[in-house]
Amino acid sequence: MSAPSYAVIVLAGGRSRRMGGADKLELSLGSRTLLGGCLASVREAFPQAVIAVAGPERPSALTLRTPPSPPIPAAAGGPVPLRLPIPRRPAARQDTQQSAPPPGTPAHSTSPHSAPHDAQPHSTQPHDTRPHGTGRGASDHPALDTGAAPHAGGLSVPGTNAPSRSASGQMRKSDSPQVRWCREEPAGGGPAPGIAAGVGALTDEIPALDAVLVCAGDMPRAGEALAAVASALGQAPLEIDAVLASDGERWQPLCAAWRPESLARALRLAGAPLAGRPVRALLDHARIQAVPVAPELLADIDTPGDYAAHRVRRR
């Protein structure tokens, strides 16, 4: 029996309003950006999955080099106790006059060197009720170095400049063989248009997929959370269209596993335009269940406080 086949849509087209305008997906978390960490988590959980990133291209998400973090503004009501990493200032050179060494004496030099420092899914009976509340709202959401075998359908192959296709028909170059960049219409239109763009970018793969997984790009542990909903969908009755994660209080529609044909149908029935509409516009046309997932796996980064708390947990 062959392993299930997945594709993942990562929503990365938000405006980071609660971060005061800074692009939170470019913030540094360890050796990656926030978006890069999300994609690395997804790739670890689903090594063979094609990933469609719905949002502006962020090449920094495809590298281990951590770019400088954008400045984090103070939250309304007062400053946030957020300490960002401060690069060490190199020691000032002291150019002093020295007497020349005697002839035949080898010159000596010293230069100091400093080295840089470098959930399991919960099994439970699925719910049969409709979601109460929309969980995550409009997406402020965020890309991945991989050596997996390339797929057909517009994916860039290492060593070539083959472009990848966006849902709008634009050709988007990617340096990673299984990452496609697409853009929601209109740009910044929210998660529902982002999901539609991701589905459009996966047109060639959808007929052969067992599930399309959806997550937000600001979830550092998205891969672990998606593994829970993907497993639950595989065990759910065939009449179930999608499985959502639940943190025990709310359902999380931006951490979900969809049957491919069900997602396409929900998008079609939701109708256009999708801009500004919540993901519930799709859920209204689907039969859904929820599976509990540990809250720490569903944690996202929306505010300076979230970012500071996550950096503390990583230490």
Side-chain angles (χ1 to χ4, degrees):
M1 185 175 179
S2 60
S5 177
Y6 300 107
V8 184
I9 298 173
V10 178
L11 301 172
R15 301 182 186 278
S16 303
R17 291 185 179 90
R18 297 175 62 189
M19 198 66 78
D23 185 356
K24 65 181 180 181
L25 300 184
E26 293 282 6
L27 294 175
S28 299
L29 287 180
S31 60
R32 297 183 185 272
T33 64
L34 174 53
L35 175 56
C38 172
L39 293 175
S41 175
V42 170
R43 175 63 69 223
E44 182 176 0
F46 304 95
Q48 302 303 319
V50 179
I51 301 175
V53 184
E57 291 190 52
R58 295 178 175 89
S60 59
L62 300 173
T63 177
L64 283 176
R65 271 182 281 177
T66 305
S69 294
I72 304 297
V80 175
L82 176 66
R83 291 189 174 95
L84 297 177
I86 301 175
R88 295 181 178 180
R89 178 176 297 177
R93 294 184 56 185
Q94 296 182 355
D95 296 327
T96 58
Q97 293 288 341
Q98 297 181 355
S99 59
T105 303
H108 297 277
S109 63
T110 60
S111 63
H113 296 275
S114 58
H117 295 285
D118 215 345
Q120 295 298 326
H122 299 262
S123 60
T124 186
Q125 293 297 323
H127 302 280
D128 291 325
T129 57
R130 302 297 297 179
H132 46 84
T134 57
R136 295 172 60 97
S139 168
D140 285 338
H141 309 289
L144 174 67
D145 193 15
T146 175
H151 287 245
L155 290 174
S156 178
V157 179
T160 74
N161 291 321
S164 60
R165 295 179 301 178
S166 72
S168 61
Q170 297 176 341
M171 304 302 283
R172 311 286 291 277
K173 291 184 178 180
S174 173
D175 294 327
S176 184
Q178 289 186 264
V179 172
R180 301 182 186 184
W181 301 94
C182 55
R183 199 69 168 103
E184 71 276 16
E185 294 291 343
I195 293 174
V199 169
L202 298 169
T203 300
D204 294 339
E205 284 72 30
I206 280 184
L209 294 176
D210 292 291
V212 176
L213 312 179
V214 177
C215 72
D218 61 353
M219 296 173 58
R221 301 181 69 177
E224 297 169 84
L226 288 176
V229 294
S231 176
L233 182 65
Q235 301 173 35
L238 291 178
E239 60 267 21
I240 296 301
D241 297 309
V243 171
L244 312 183
S246 170
D247 63 4
E249 296 181 359
R250 298 181 304 171
W251 289 21
Q252 305 292 343
L254 295 190
C255 181
W258 285 81
R259 300 196 193 280
E261 65 279 5
S262 299
L263 180 54
R265 183 181 64 248
L267 286 166
R268 185 174 64 254
L269 293 176
L274 289 172
R277 297 168 65 185
V279 179
R280 186 158 188 167
L282 308 182
L283 301 181
D284 288 340
H285 303 283
R287 292 156 294 190
I288 57 180
Q289 291 181 348
V291 59
V293 176
E296 59 267 25
L297 302 186
L298 295 172
D300 58 355
I301 295 179
D302 283 327
T303 66
D306 294 339
Y307 180 54
H310 187 79
R311 286 172 57 84
V312 170
R313 288 194 297 269
R314 286 177 58 91
R315 293 175 183 170

